[in-house]
Amino acid sequence: MTYQTINPYSNELVHEYPFDTDQILSETLAIGHDLYQRMKNQPIAERSKILHNIAAKMREHADELARICTIDMGKLIGESAGEVELCAMIADWFADHSPELLAPETIDTIATGQAQVLHQSVGVVVMVEPWNFPYYQIMRVFAPNFMVGNPMILKDAANIPTSAKRFCEIVEEAGAPKGALTNLFLNYDQVTEAIADPRVQGVALTGSELGGAAVAKAAGKYLKKNSMELGGMDPFIVLGDADMDDVTNIAWRVRLYNCGQVCTSSKRFIVMDNVYDEFVAKLKEHFEQVVPGDPMDPKTTLAPMNTARAKQKLQSQLDAALAAGARLVTGNEPIDLPGQFFRPAIITDVTPENPAYKEEMFGPIGVVYKVRSEDEAVALANDNPYGLGGIVFSGDPDHGADVAARIETGMVFVNNFMASLPELPFGGVKLSGYGREMSRIGQMAFVNDKLVVKAQHSDLSNPAGGLVVA
Ligand code: NAP
């Protein structure tokens, strides 16, 4: 399959791009490596300035970028605009904070002299990104690594080529040097070739378990450090004393945002029995109120899914769930529009034997479970191969935080939406992957934490003196 923009609302082929050649990959690696060497000697303040310019350029081109994104993968135009602004915020944050985050750290030690850890660049980083947030996924890796001084090669999803191309153009137009971020239309073998290249020192992937395993295998083979941001089946726990107005106001949004195609979307609602009926009734009401239509029209509230293939897969997952005994509360009816629309569905009575119990459904389907105790809620939340995020609603936020601490995921929000912000670490455990993006933790993913110990003269009197320990 080539790289194609097929508008999921009109099904029209809008753009098609050929694969890049091995020669172009080879030139890009050379340019990236050369830039890595040059950026080592550049004051970090220069990169801060460029990254602020990138944020400004994105804001200047916000309407254009939002339209490209919506045509590429179908999301509501307002959501595309929000994504562009979030990218600009991330860029500004790393531009402002990186000089401090990456400053050398002094260590108290009994070794003779002054010990410091320097946080230095390592070389070219390859990033492999998905289609569901065409700009934000790139910015999550680009902004922190640009500040570190690591040049990047982007292999983005095959169905959002126009967004990927335009993002990288904007980066260059804002003054980033050639090679700082290069979008290439690579095939899978070329991704492996890039990973194998000695100039590449890191690989960041966001995507599915399957894609992650393939890329992590190549990274393992060539001993390249890697971070994996994979799928999720986030629990949304509603305790018996939760404020049901807040709960019902947020629950439908966190499942239907981006047409349910979000790794941290609440895919499992785990609700205490005393509020279960009310919860299901309200969720149904909200799910049935969405307005499908042109995602460019601000009045539309249900976008098409990103591709015909994604819609077919979701339908087959819903069919399998129902065949295995799940109860349908709403949905499973076609929408009479030509685009890739999927009517939001709610299912209940999903048993552990049902494939829906452990399979991520990447679209507008909510699964609701009834539980009789908090312990049962926590056990159900943790009985899952994924461990990305989660939400807990409780009448007492401190108690909600105690419950959050018992959930085996990388991120939990209490009494609110999950938010992705530059200062907060993003990532998961179990099949949701490893490593973190954003925040100081994310910025340290591809950094040489180099120890330098500076002595005025040698001293054999201290306990470590003269010892070589390996
Ligand atoms: P995917 O199939 O794994 O694709 C993601 C990226 O990996 C694409 O660029 C894809 O390229 C590439 N890829 C896949 N297999 C590859 C291989 N063998 N070699 C090299 N590159 C390969 O994921 P998806 O299904 O499109 O994305 C949705 C998934 O991503 C969901 O599971 C979602 O939960 C997860 N996700 C996770 C996060 C997070 O932060 N944890 C965020 C967003 C999404 P092609 O397009 O060319 O196949």
Side-chain angles (χ1 to χ4, degrees):
M1 199 178 80
T2 54
Y3 284 75
Q4 291 180 333
T5 290
I6 298 176
N7 183 337
Y9 175 62
S10 64
N11 302 322
E12 174 200 357
L13 174 63
V14 184
H15 296 291
E16 189 162 13
Y17 306 85
F19 285 108
D20 278 312
T21 59
D22 289 350
Q23 175 68 22
I24 288 180
L25 172 58
S26 164
E27 284 165 15
T28 305
L29 286 163
I31 291 168
H33 186 66
D34 181 58
L35 180 63
Y36 157 64
Q37 301 289 2
R38 283 188 285 126
M39 282 201 288
K40 277 189 208 172
N41 305 315
Q42 179 193 51
I44 194 168
E46 285 183 30
R47 293 200 289 282
S48 287
K49 203 167 142 220
I50 295 170
L51 197 50
H52 276 309
N53 284 346
I54 292 169
K57 258 284 173 245
M58 289 196 79
R59 289 190 172 108
E60 195 187 307
H61 289 266
D63 289 347
E64 177 207 350
L65 286 166
R67 288 181 70 80
I68 290 172
C69 177
T70 292
I71 292 170
D72 255 354
M73 54 69 71
K75 73 170 65 182
L76 301 175
I77 191 71
E79 293 179 352
S80 294
E83 183 175 338
V84 175
E85 175 54 27
L86 176 59
C87 287
M89 282 169 59
I90 294 170
D92 278 338
W93 192 86
F94 279 101
D96 285 336
H97 294 272
S98 295
E100 189 190 334
L101 298 177
L102 294 168
E105 287 170 77
T106 301
I107 299 181
D108 280 338
T109 172
I110 57 169
T112 302
Q114 188 198 39
Q116 275 201 323
V117 174
L118 313 180
H119 303 297
Q120 296 184 325
S121 56
V122 287
V124 178
V125 170
V126 169
M127 64 164 114
V128 182
E129 300 300 331
W131 46 265
N132 64 339
F133 290 94
Y135 302 129
Y136 155 81
Q137 295 291 354
I138 307 174
M139 188 58 95
R140 265 186 6 187
V141 180
F142 172 71
N145 278 290
F146 178 66
M147 291 308 298
V148 167
N150 294 327
M152 280 152 278
I153 294 177
L154 166 66
K155 181 267 178 274
D156 217 327
N159 62 322
I160 53 158
T162 315
S163 303
K165 181 170 169 289
R166 192 67 190 114
F167 186 104
C168 294
E169 286 167 1
I170 294 266
V171 165
E172 258 190 60
E173 285 165 21
K178 193 170 168 53
L181 176 67
T182 309
N183 175 57
L184 292 181
F185 296 129
L186 300 178
N187 62 38
Y188 291 175
D189 289 343
Q190 289 171 316
V191 172
T192 302
E193 273 170 45
I195 293 170
D197 192 282
R199 291 164 291 193
V200 168
Q201 289 301 313
V203 188
L205 177 138
T206 295
S208 67
E209 200 185 315
L210 216 63
V215 170
K217 187 176 171 194
K221 180 170 177 193
Y222 296 104
L223 296 175
K224 301 298 165 74
K225 193 172 179 198
N226 61 94
S227 67
M228 292 287 144
E229 296 284 351
L230 309 178
M233 288 186 71
D234 289 5
F236 181 118
I237 296 180
V238 183
L239 298 181
D241 61 350
D243 179 326
M244 291 307 284
D245 285 342
D246 281 356
V247 167
T248 51
N249 198 16
I250 285 182
W252 69 276
R253 296 174 202 274
V254 294
R255 191 61 191 105
L256 298 188
Y257 178 70
N258 208 23
C259 197
Q261 304 165 116
V262 184
C263 53
T264 52
S265 177
S266 296
K267 296 180 187 126
R268 298 179 296 145
F269 295 102
I270 299 173
V271 185
M272 288 293 270
D273 51 359
N274 63 320
V275 288
Y276 176 87
D277 289 342
E278 179 185 356
F279 179 84
V280 173
K282 289 269 174 54
L283 194 68
K284 177 174 185 287
E285 203 179 301
H286 284 297
F287 269 39
E288 289 175 352
Q289 272 169 6
V290 293
V291 182
D294 184 350
M296 289 291 181
D297 182 346
K299 291 195 288 299
T300 300
T301 57
L302 181 73
M305 294 188 68
N306 75 103
T307 56
R309 198 160 58 107
K311 178 182 162 178
Q312 281 153 14
K313 180 176 176 194
L314 193 66
Q315 185 63 55
S316 67
Q317 288 178 305
L318 179 57
D319 293 345
L322 296 174
R327 189 174 78 81
L328 183 74
V329 176
T330 186
N332 204 23
E333 280 168 20
I335 288 176
D336 190 18
L337 285 170
Q340 304 308 323
F341 288 94
F342 193 99
R343 194 176 291 285
I346 299 172
I347 56 174
T348 62
D349 298 39
V350 169
T351 58
E353 297 72 38
N354 193 314
Y357 189 78
K358 288 196 171 155
E359 251 182 40
E360 182 186 34
M361 292 194 278
F362 214 56
I365 298 181
V367 182
V368 192
Y369 297 88
K370 186 196 284 189
V371 288
R372 281 151 205 86
S373 73
E374 199 173 289
D375 284 348
E376 195 189 341
V378 172
L380 180 53
N382 291 341
D383 185 25
N384 198 264
Y386 294 98
L388 191 56
I391 292 175
V392 175
F393 266 91
S394 166
D396 172 1
D398 290 338
H399 182 65
D402 290 341
V403 174
R406 297 173 63 197
I407 296 174
E408 293 167 355
T409 65
M411 311 166 269
V412 185
F413 281 62
V414 177
N415 289 355
N416 212 342
F417 294 96
M418 281 218 46
S420 179
L421 294 167
E423 64 273 26
L424 302 179
F426 193 105
V429 295
K430 303 201 267 187
L431 286 187
S432 295
Y434 46 82
R436 294 291 183 271
E437 289 184 349
M438 304 233 275
S439 78
R440 183 175 194 275
I441 302 175
Q443 188 161 41
M444 294 300 162
F446 302 109
V447 158
N448 177 8
D449 298 305
K450 186 198 287 175
L451 173 67
V452 175
V453 183
K454 185 173 62 183
Q456 297 300 329
H457 52 79
S458 62
D459 176 6
L460 300 181
S461 64
N462 73 49
L467 291 183
V468 177
V469 184

